[in-house]
Amino acid sequence: QVQLVESGGGLVQPGGSLRLSCVHSGSIFNLYVMGWYRQAPGTQRELVASMKGGGRGEYADSVKGRFTISRDNHLKTVSLQMNSLKFEDTAVYYCYGKESGVEYWGQGTLVTVSS
């Protein structure tokens, strides 16, 4: 059993910053892939950023240069630093993990960008 728990969502003005964090617990010590997806109302869930093991982060074009993913395998966390937020970044953000072909999801945390 693996659980992913997000924190850090909230309301922010355009141009502002937020940092999302996710910690995983359970029977698997480390998840090979960890990342973040988001889903805005009426849209499909989309990949925001992901990281394999200790590799480099991969980003959706819409967030490149503004968002940074990082992970700490010892603490079993993955974070998403979001800068220069835009209205269109408003969505529920989901922590994601994958190991041996099995996917795991957090419950989601809402990010609202509004003036």
Side-chain angles (χ1 to χ4, degrees):
Q1 189 79 13
V2 173
Q3 288 186 322
L4 302 178
V5 179
E6 306 102 333
S7 62
L11 174 65
V12 63
Q13 292 185 339
S17 298
L18 276 178
R19 184 176 181 87
L20 305 182
S21 295
C22 172
V23 58
H24 75 90
S25 60
S27 56
I28 298 175
F29 183 76
N30 263 318
L31 299 172
Y32 178 60
V33 181
M34 291 197 76
W36 295 88
Y37 279 70
R38 68 185 179 186
Q39 187 169 21
T43 69
Q44 291 187 332
R45 193 173 295 190
E46 63 173 357
L47 176 65
V48 176
S50 66
M51 183 177 283
K52 297 177 181 177
R56 296 172 59 183
E58 299 178 1
Y59 300 91
D61 288 343
S62 59
V63 307
K64 283 180 181 176
R66 299 188 298 122
F67 290 11
T68 303
I69 189 172
S70 60
R71 61 185 292 178
D72 185 320
N73 291 328
H74 179 70
L75 295 177
K76 299 168 66 174
T77 60
V78 61
S79 299
L80 186 68
Q81 178 65 41
M82 306 186 293
N83 299 327
S84 303
L85 283 160
K86 304 176 180 181
F87 291 118
E88 52 264 41
D89 294 318
T90 295
V92 177
Y93 284 70
Y94 296 90
C95 181
Y96 164 83
K98 186 175 181 179
E99 176 64 38
S100 301
V102 180
E103 298 181 341
Y104 304 93
W105 295 91
Q107 81 286 355
T109 185
L110 178 63
V111 172
T112 303
V113 183
S114 176
S115 55

Short mmCIF file of all heavy atoms in Angstrom, two decimals, residues 27-58:
data_model
loop_
_atom_site.label_atom_id
_atom_site.label_comp_id
_atom_site.label_asym_id
_atom_site.label_seq_id
_atom_site.Cartn_x
_atom_site.Cartn_y
_atom_site.Cartn_z
N SER A 27 4.67 0.70 1.59
CA SER A 27 5.53 -0.47 1.51
C SER A 27 6.69 -0.31 0.53
O SER A 27 7.64 -1.09 0.57
CB SER A 27 4.71 -1.70 1.12
OG SER A 27 4.02 -1.46 -0.10
N ILE A 28 6.62 0.66 -0.35
CA ILE A 28 7.68 0.86 -1.32
C ILE A 28 8.53 2.04 -0.86
O ILE A 28 8.01 3.13 -0.65
CB ILE A 28 7.11 1.14 -2.72
CG1 ILE A 28 6.29 -0.08 -3.19
CG2 ILE A 28 8.23 1.42 -3.70
CD1 ILE A 28 5.59 0.14 -4.51
N PHE A 29 9.82 1.79 -0.72
CA PHE A 29 10.67 2.86 -0.18
C PHE A 29 10.80 4.03 -1.14
O PHE A 29 10.72 5.18 -0.75
CB PHE A 29 12.05 2.31 0.17
CG PHE A 29 12.93 3.35 0.80
CD1 PHE A 29 12.73 3.72 2.12
CD2 PHE A 29 13.93 3.97 0.08
CE1 PHE A 29 13.53 4.70 2.72
CE2 PHE A 29 14.74 4.93 0.66
CZ PHE A 29 14.53 5.30 1.98
N ASN A 30 11.00 3.72 -2.40
CA ASN A 30 11.14 4.80 -3.38
C ASN A 30 10.35 4.49 -4.63
O ASN A 30 10.32 3.34 -5.09
CB ASN A 30 12.61 5.00 -3.75
CG ASN A 30 13.24 6.12 -2.97
OD1 ASN A 30 12.64 7.17 -2.76
ND2 ASN A 30 14.46 5.91 -2.53
N LEU A 31 9.73 5.50 -5.16
CA LEU A 31 9.00 5.39 -6.42
C LEU A 31 9.91 5.89 -7.54
O LEU A 31 10.45 6.99 -7.45
CB LEU A 31 7.72 6.21 -6.36
CG LEU A 31 6.72 5.79 -5.29
CD1 LEU A 31 5.57 6.79 -5.20
CD2 LEU A 31 6.19 4.40 -5.57
N TYR A 32 10.07 5.08 -8.59
CA TYR A 32 11.01 5.43 -9.64
C TYR A 32 10.63 6.75 -10.31
O TYR A 32 11.46 7.61 -10.56
CB TYR A 32 11.08 4.31 -10.67
CG TYR A 32 12.00 4.63 -11.83
CD1 TYR A 32 13.35 4.88 -11.61
CD2 TYR A 32 11.54 4.68 -13.13
CE1 TYR A 32 14.19 5.19 -12.65
CE2 TYR A 32 12.37 4.98 -14.18
CZ TYR A 32 13.70 5.24 -13.93
OH TYR A 32 14.54 5.53 -14.97
N VAL A 33 9.37 6.90 -10.62
CA VAL A 33 8.89 8.14 -11.23
C VAL A 33 8.00 8.86 -10.22
O VAL A 33 7.12 8.25 -9.61
CB VAL A 33 8.06 7.87 -12.50
CG1 VAL A 33 7.60 9.20 -13.12
CG2 VAL A 33 8.87 7.08 -13.51
N MET A 34 8.25 10.14 -10.06
CA MET A 34 7.35 10.96 -9.27
C MET A 34 7.13 12.25 -10.03
O MET A 34 8.02 12.73 -10.76
CB MET A 34 7.91 11.24 -7.88
CG MET A 34 7.96 10.02 -6.99
SD MET A 34 8.14 10.45 -5.24
CE MET A 34 6.47 11.01 -4.85
N GLY A 35 5.95 12.80 -9.85
CA GLY A 35 5.67 14.03 -10.58
C GLY A 35 4.35 14.63 -10.19
O GLY A 35 3.76 14.27 -9.17
N TRP A 36 3.93 15.57 -11.02
CA TRP A 36 2.71 16.32 -10.78
C TRP A 36 1.87 16.39 -12.05
O TRP A 36 2.41 16.65 -13.13
CB TRP A 36 3.03 17.73 -10.31
CG TRP A 36 3.71 17.77 -9.00
CD1 TRP A 36 5.06 17.70 -8.76
CD2 TRP A 36 3.09 17.86 -7.72
NE1 TRP A 36 5.31 17.74 -7.42
CE2 TRP A 36 4.11 17.85 -6.74
CE3 TRP A 36 1.77 17.96 -7.29
CZ2 TRP A 36 3.85 17.93 -5.38
CZ3 TRP A 36 1.50 18.05 -5.94
CH2 TRP A 36 2.54 18.03 -5.00
N TYR A 37 0.59 16.14 -11.89
CA TYR A 37 -0.39 16.36 -12.93
C TYR A 37 -1.33 17.45 -12.44
O TYR A 37 -1.38 17.75 -11.25
CB TYR A 37 -1.19 15.09 -13.21
CG TYR A 37 -0.51 14.09 -14.11
CD1 TYR A 37 0.61 13.38 -13.68
CD2 TYR A 37 -0.97 13.85 -15.39
CE1 TYR A 37 1.23 12.45 -14.51
CE2 TYR A 37 -0.36 12.93 -16.23
CZ TYR A 37 0.73 12.23 -15.77
OH TYR A 37 1.35 11.32 -16.60
N ARG A 38 -2.11 17.99 -13.35
CA ARG A 38 -3.14 18.93 -12.95
C ARG A 38 -4.37 18.75 -13.83
O ARG A 38 -4.28 18.27 -14.96
CB ARG A 38 -2.64 20.38 -13.02
CG ARG A 38 -2.37 20.89 -14.43
CD ARG A 38 -1.77 22.30 -14.36
NE ARG A 38 -1.48 22.82 -15.70
CZ ARG A 38 -0.85 23.96 -15.92
NH1 ARG A 38 -0.42 24.70 -14.91
NH2 ARG A 38 -0.64 24.38 -17.15
N GLN A 39 -5.48 19.18 -13.28
CA GLN A 39 -6.73 19.09 -14.01
C GLN A 39 -7.57 20.31 -13.70
O GLN A 39 -7.96 20.54 -12.55
CB GLN A 39 -7.50 17.82 -13.65
CG GLN A 39 -8.73 17.58 -14.49
CD GLN A 39 -9.30 16.19 -14.30
OE1 GLN A 39 -9.06 15.52 -13.30
NE2 GLN A 39 -10.08 15.72 -15.27
N ALA A 40 -7.83 21.08 -14.73
CA ALA A 40 -8.71 22.24 -14.62
C ALA A 40 -10.14 21.80 -14.95
O ALA A 40 -10.34 20.80 -15.62
CB ALA A 40 -8.26 23.34 -15.58
N PRO A 41 -11.13 22.55 -14.50
CA PRO A 41 -12.53 22.17 -14.76
C PRO A 41 -12.80 22.01 -16.26
O PRO A 41 -12.41 22.86 -17.07
CB PRO A 41 -13.32 23.35 -14.18
CG PRO A 41 -12.44 23.90 -13.12
CD PRO A 41 -11.04 23.74 -13.63
N GLY A 42 -13.42 20.90 -16.62
CA GLY A 42 -13.78 20.67 -18.01
C GLY A 42 -12.64 20.23 -18.90
O GLY A 42 -12.81 20.18 -20.12
N THR A 43 -11.49 19.93 -18.31
CA THR A 43 -10.34 19.51 -19.13
C THR A 43 -9.84 18.16 -18.65
O THR A 43 -10.19 17.68 -17.58
CB THR A 43 -9.20 20.53 -19.05
OG1 THR A 43 -8.62 20.50 -17.74
CG2 THR A 43 -9.69 21.93 -19.36
N GLN A 44 -8.97 17.56 -19.47
CA GLN A 44 -8.35 16.30 -19.07
C GLN A 44 -7.16 16.56 -18.16
O GLN A 44 -6.54 17.62 -18.22
CB GLN A 44 -7.89 15.54 -20.32
CG GLN A 44 -9.02 15.01 -21.18
CD GLN A 44 -8.53 14.14 -22.31
OE1 GLN A 44 -7.41 14.30 -22.79
NE2 GLN A 44 -9.34 13.19 -22.74
N ARG A 45 -6.88 15.59 -17.37
CA ARG A 45 -5.69 15.68 -16.51
C ARG A 45 -4.45 15.71 -17.40
O ARG A 45 -4.33 14.93 -18.36
CB ARG A 45 -5.64 14.49 -15.55
CG ARG A 45 -4.66 14.63 -14.43
CD ARG A 45 -4.79 13.50 -13.43
NE ARG A 45 -6.08 13.52 -12.75
CZ ARG A 45 -6.37 12.76 -11.71
NH1 ARG A 45 -5.46 11.92 -11.23
NH2 ARG A 45 -7.56 12.82 -11.14
N GLU A 46 -3.53 16.61 -17.07
CA GLU A 46 -2.32 16.74 -17.90
C GLU A 46 -1.08 16.71 -17.04
O GLU A 46 -1.08 17.15 -15.88
CB GLU A 46 -2.36 18.06 -18.68
CG GLU A 46 -2.36 19.31 -17.84
CD GLU A 46 -2.23 20.59 -18.66
OE1 GLU A 46 -2.10 20.52 -19.89
OE2 GLU A 46 -2.24 21.67 -18.03
N LEU A 47 -0.01 16.21 -17.63
CA LEU A 47 1.27 16.16 -16.94
C LEU A 47 1.84 17.57 -16.83
O LEU A 47 1.89 18.31 -17.80
CB LEU A 47 2.25 15.26 -17.70
CG LEU A 47 3.66 15.19 -17.14
CD1 LEU A 47 3.67 14.54 -15.77
CD2 LEU A 47 4.57 14.43 -18.10
N VAL A 48 2.29 17.92 -15.64
CA VAL A 48 2.94 19.21 -15.42
C VAL A 48 4.45 19.02 -15.39
O VAL A 48 5.20 19.71 -16.09
CB VAL A 48 2.47 19.84 -14.10
CG1 VAL A 48 3.22 21.14 -13.83
CG2 VAL A 48 0.97 20.07 -14.13
N ALA A 49 4.91 18.11 -14.56
CA ALA A 49 6.35 17.87 -14.43
C ALA A 49 6.57 16.49 -13.83
O ALA A 49 5.75 16.02 -13.04
CB ALA A 49 7.01 18.93 -13.56
N SER A 50 7.66 15.86 -14.20
CA SER A 50 7.98 14.56 -13.62
C SER A 50 9.49 14.39 -13.53
O SER A 50 10.25 15.11 -14.18
CB SER A 50 7.38 13.42 -14.45
OG SER A 50 7.99 13.35 -15.72
N MET A 51 9.89 13.43 -12.72
CA MET A 51 11.30 13.18 -12.52
C MET A 51 11.49 11.69 -12.28
O MET A 51 10.79 11.09 -11.45
CB MET A 51 11.84 14.00 -11.34
CG MET A 51 13.31 13.85 -11.09
SD MET A 51 13.87 14.91 -9.73
CE MET A 51 13.91 16.50 -10.54
N LYS A 52 12.45 11.11 -12.99
CA LYS A 52 12.75 9.69 -12.83
C LYS A 52 13.99 9.55 -11.96
O LYS A 52 15.04 10.11 -12.29
CB LYS A 52 13.00 9.04 -14.19
CG LYS A 52 11.82 9.05 -15.12
CD LYS A 52 12.18 8.47 -16.46
CE LYS A 52 11.00 8.51 -17.41
NZ LYS A 52 11.35 8.00 -18.76
N GLY A 53 13.87 8.81 -10.86
CA GLY A 53 15.00 8.57 -9.99
C GLY A 53 15.71 9.87 -9.64
O GLY A 53 15.10 10.80 -9.15
N GLY A 54 16.98 9.94 -9.93
CA GLY A 54 17.73 11.16 -9.67
C GLY A 54 17.98 11.97 -10.92
O GLY A 54 18.89 12.80 -10.95
N GLY A 55 17.16 11.76 -11.93
CA GLY A 55 17.38 12.44 -13.20
C GLY A 55 16.86 13.86 -13.22
O GLY A 55 16.46 14.43 -12.20
N ARG A 56 16.86 14.40 -14.41
CA ARG A 56 16.41 15.77 -14.60
C ARG A 56 14.90 15.81 -14.69
O ARG A 56 14.25 14.85 -15.08
CB ARG A 56 17.02 16.33 -15.89
CG ARG A 56 18.52 16.44 -15.86
CD ARG A 56 19.07 16.82 -17.22
NE ARG A 56 18.53 18.09 -17.69
CZ ARG A 56 18.80 18.60 -18.88
NH1 ARG A 56 19.59 17.95 -19.72
NH2 ARG A 56 18.30 19.77 -19.24
N GLY A 57 14.35 16.95 -14.34
CA GLY A 57 12.92 17.12 -14.46
C GLY A 57 12.49 17.30 -15.90
O GLY A 57 13.23 17.84 -16.71
N GLU A 58 11.30 16.83 -16.19
CA GLU A 58 10.70 17.02 -17.51
C GLU A 58 9.42 17.83 -17.30
O GLU A 58 8.68 17.58 -16.34
CB GLU A 58 10.39 15.68 -18.16
CG GLU A 58 11.62 14.82 -18.38
CD GLU A 58 11.31 13.47 -18.98
OE1 GLU A 58 10.12 13.19 -19.24
OE2 GLU A 58 12.25 12.67 -19.16
#
